[in-house]
Amino acid sequence: MKAHPSGPYRVEYTETAAAVRDSLPPERREQLAKALRVLARDPYTKASAPIGPDDDTRQAMVAPALLIEYGVLRGVMVVVVVTVLDGMEFLGEADE
């Protein structure tokens, strides 16, 4: 188990992740913000999963059809990717 700094982690965004966040409708932006406030209390929660060789690179489904990838370092969570899964075309549905 990782040692947690006192209080919640500070949340930062890469430019790319911030652009996706900013393009979301207001209701979805609020869902993302609320979920990140919760996640900032414990970025290693069981509701997230490691995606790299260590526990500090993670992903979490933070709202319906809203997936983030983030890194954790010294009291900061850096949201690297925000993926909106709404309306995606699936391989089984693609034209052959």
Side-chain angles (χ1 to χ4, degrees):
M1 172 70 69
K2 298 281 182 182
H4 297 271
S6 60
Y9 284 69
R10 187 175 80 238
V11 177
E12 300 285 338
Y13 290 83
T14 63
E15 287 183 29
T16 303
V20 174
R21 175 201 61 202
D22 294 346
S23 73
L24 294 170
E27 181 179 308
R28 297 298 301 273
R29 277 195 312 267
E30 181 53 35
Q31 287 177 323
L32 176 62
K34 182 178 179 182
L36 286 173
R37 284 191 298 272
V38 171
L39 191 59
R41 290 185 221 139
D42 179 13
Y44 299 99
T45 177
K46 291 182 206 174
S48 68
I51 56 173
D54 59 46
D55 278 347
D56 296 327
T57 305
R58 308 185 68 79
Q59 68 179 2
M61 186 71 73
V62 293
L66 201 56
L67 176 73
I68 66 164
E69 294 179 16
Y70 61 98
V72 183
L73 180 65
R74 296 183 189 155
V76 180
M77 280 179 42
V78 179
V79 180
V80 178
V81 178
V82 176
T83 303
V84 180
L85 301 170
D86 298 346
M88 290 185 68
E89 187 174 291
F90 299 98
L91 287 175
E93 299 170 359
D95 293 331
E96 295 182 13

